[in-house]
Amino acid sequence: MNNKKTPLLEVRDLVVEFKVQDGLVRAVNGLSFKVYDSEIIGIVGESGSGKSQTMLALMGLLAGNGKVKGSVKFNGQELVGMSTGKLNKLRGDQIAMIFQDPMTSLNPYLKISSQMTEVLMLHKNMPYKQALDEAIKMLDKVKIPDAKNRIHLYPHEFSGGMRQRVMIAMSLLTKPKLLIADEPTTALDVTVQAQILELLKELKQEMNMSIIFITHDMGVVANICDRVNVMYGGWLMETATIEQVFATPYHPYTSALLETIPSIDHDVDKLKTIPGEPPNLLHLPEGCPFQPRCSKVSAACSGQIPLRKISPRHVMKCTVEVTQ
């Protein structure tokens, strides 16, 4: 990939805040990253790191008490501050999202046919019969058996893995340029998870789209992503190619995440964890939010933390010494 190309998505200094009874929660703190054509970007981190809130901010789907600052440009268009009407034309058409839980994302009262055809009738002005034919083709593409008949079933008549395939099919109906997948395999067993990941890779190649894949699982990142953004406490801690992150992780948090992955080469009595708890976003420490859990903490971590370029595609926000 040539980084001189114009990015499909460019996020600059994104801040997401929520006003709550106890004060102001800053869920995302000065996040910047780019997504280029036909690549898969992973966003990884523990619960509460800001992964999902970042994506909801991009889509204009934050809760009513949420506020966004910074810039989000999609194909050169600024999304922050864009009217709901204009956003609605982009959402589901050029930008689509697969939500975490397929069990609750589908309307249990409507047949799959009604939910899928609505997307094409709304965004592409298709008549019902044409929309139904396109929906059946997409169900075939995501390997739903007997799609022609099963499209007329209700969500509860599908297994969890099949429902997730339906969600993927629905999000791809309009052939979006960018697909946001928010932990789409979390509720699935390992075999189905592997099938879904392989399916997304195939569809990405076939449809020439970009994917942002949100997960807490570094193993999934290694399987599907080209690059990865590691987040903690609303901060972007490290961004690099998959090869760089797994070969030479420089940020202590990235290293800690990788150390928690079980190894098939060694027998262990106890799985490794990161000591301590994720930060309270209402009471973040001065400087780096990972300080209380970091094995390499120093006095400098309480001050201004620089964003350092390790190599052209490897950036880290940390004070730790780097030896190459």
Side-chain angles (χ1 to χ4, degrees):
M1 183 193 70
N2 182 358
N3 277 8
K4 291 183 179 179
K5 290 180 180 178
T6 302
L8 175 67
L9 180 77
E10 184 171 13
V11 178
R12 284 187 178 274
D13 302 319
L14 183 70
V15 174
V16 179
E17 297 175 331
F18 294 93
K19 195 170 185 179
V20 297
Q21 190 172 359
D22 295 331
L24 194 66
V25 171
R26 180 166 282 193
V28 180
N29 195 345
L31 180 65
S32 298
F33 68 93
K34 297 175 183 178
V35 180
Y36 291 87
D37 285 331
S38 195
E39 71 168 347
I40 303 179
I41 301 298
I43 298 187
V44 66
E46 294 169 280
S47 296
S49 62
K51 309 183 301 294
S52 294
Q53 295 306 325
T54 297
M55 295 306 113
L56 291 174
L58 302 191
M59 295 287 283
L61 297 174
L62 286 177
N65 62 337
K67 185 178 181 182
V68 181
K69 301 175 186 174
S71 172
V72 178
K73 288 187 177 178
F74 175 76
N75 256 352
Q77 297 181 81
E78 180 60 63
L79 301 187
V80 176
M82 181 179 280
S83 69
T84 303
K86 288 183 178 179
L87 268 176
N88 282 340
K89 289 181 180 179
L90 283 175
R91 290 186 298 219
D93 185 9
Q94 295 185 54
I95 308 174
M97 188 165 181
I98 306 170
F99 293 93
Q100 285 189 27
D101 188 359
M103 312 301 175
T104 57
S105 298
L106 292 166
N107 188 327
Y109 298 104
L110 295 177
K111 292 180 180 180
I112 298 300
S113 55
S114 298
Q115 298 184 58
M116 294 190 72
T117 54
E118 181 184 33
V119 175
L120 291 170
M121 292 166 73
L122 177 65
H123 288 288
K124 301 297 183 183
N125 295 317
M126 283 187 187
Y128 175 79
K129 182 63 173 68
Q130 184 184 355
L132 183 65
D133 289 342
E134 289 297 316
I136 292 170
K137 287 178 187 175
M138 191 57 74
L139 288 181
D140 280 328
K141 198 180 290 285
V142 299
K143 300 177 175 62
I144 297 284
D146 193 22
K148 189 174 181 179
N149 292 314
R150 299 193 74 187
I151 194 171
H152 298 293
L153 300 179
Y154 288 93
H156 73 269
E157 297 178 274
F158 288 78
S159 68
M162 287 294 122
R163 268 183 273 193
Q164 191 60 284
R165 289 171 190 267
V166 170
M167 286 297 301
I168 293 170
M170 194 179 301
S171 66
L172 297 179
L173 278 172
T174 59
K175 298 179 173 59
K177 294 180 180 177
L178 176 65
L179 176 66
I180 299 170
D182 189 358
E183 303 204 40
T185 60
T186 299
L188 307 177
D189 63 54
V190 176
T191 304
V192 177
Q193 182 182 89
Q195 293 171 353
I196 295 295
L197 293 179
E198 195 58 38
L199 174 63
L200 284 172
K201 286 192 283 188
E202 289 174 10
L203 292 171
K204 172 250 182 183
Q205 287 294 115
E206 185 179 331
M207 301 176 72
N208 194 34
M209 67 180 172
S210 302
I211 300 175
I212 299 176
F213 197 97
I214 304 168
T215 182
H216 60 272
D217 188 336
M218 290 296 280
V220 169
V221 166
N223 188 311
I224 195 172
C225 299
D226 301 309
R227 291 191 292 124
V228 61
N229 294 335
V230 180
M231 290 187 68
Y232 184 84
W235 282 32
L236 179 63
M237 295 298 195
E238 189 166 8
T239 181
T241 65
I242 293 302
E243 293 80 6
Q244 289 168 331
V245 160
F246 279 83
T248 52
Y250 287 115
H251 199 288
Y253 179 59
T254 309
S255 299
L257 281 178
L258 290 171
E259 287 171 3
T260 63
I261 300 175
S263 172
I264 60 173
D265 299 325
H266 304 96
D267 292 328
V268 293
D269 295 324
K270 189 176 180 181
L271 294 176
K272 191 160 185 178
T273 61
I274 303 174
E277 299 289 335
N280 182 340
L281 298 180
L282 273 169
H283 305 289
L284 288 171
E286 290 292 324
C288 177
F290 189 57
Q291 288 177 70
R293 307 172 73 188
C294 185
S295 60
K296 298 182 180 179
V297 66
S298 68
C301 299
S302 297
Q304 190 77 19
I305 310 297
L307 192 64
R308 300 157 61 193
K309 184 174 280 191
I310 311 299
S311 68
R313 300 177 68 190
H314 196 162
V315 177
M316 177 180 70
K317 196 175 181 71
C318 187
T319 60
V320 72
E321 288 296 321
V322 171
T323 55
Q324 293 183 308

